[in-house]
Amino acid sequence: MRRARLKVAGVGCEGCVAPSKQHFVRVAGVHAVHVFGSTVEVVYDESVVSLRELLERSGVEKYYVVRVLSDEPLGGQRAEAGPVLRLEKPGREQR
């Protein structure tokens, strides 16, 4: 499974990007689509569809300008991942 973050620009405002979700959910191998303003996050199975195929099959590039921000394994560590922040409740000893 992979997660692609895409910057999607419509003809109008950021709200005009929300309908782009429907283009992605119709593609075999897509498990989830989330829209955050002009950023669209697509979770897909790379054994079924590649990112390039996903963009082509969705037809989204016919209606929107799409720029790939990231494409990474879901749940995996990115190469540039920083240190892990560990939060403790006040008054508890660290183990």
Side-chain angles (χ1 to χ4, degrees):
M1 298 287 274
R2 295 185 71 82
R3 177 182 23 225
R5 289 183 60 243
L6 311 169
K7 182 76 167 180
V8 179
V11 177
C13 63
E14 287 184 359
C16 300
V17 171
S20 69
K21 178 178 182 173
Q22 297 307 314
H23 293 276
F24 293 112
V25 297
R26 295 180 184 141
V27 178
V30 171
H31 291 269
V33 180
H34 306 281
V35 179
F36 307 99
S38 62
T39 302
V40 177
E41 203 173 80
V42 182
V43 177
Y44 67 98
D45 184 344
E46 73 271 23
S47 69
V48 177
V49 64
S50 70
L51 180 57
R52 175 74 344 231
E53 291 168 332
L54 171 62
L55 293 173
E56 289 172 2
R57 293 178 190 173
S58 69
V60 73
E61 292 177 307
K62 294 178 186 174
Y63 307 101
Y64 302 92
V65 177
V66 179
R67 182 170 53 106
V68 178
L69 300 175
S70 66
D71 182 29
E72 58 195 28
L74 187 62
Q77 293 285 338
R78 289 185 285 171
E80 68 274 5
V84 175
L85 176 64
R86 184 173 176 191
L87 300 176
E88 297 288 334
K89 290 184 178 181
R92 293 188 93 187
E93 292 182 27
Q94 288 187 353
R95 298 179 190 188

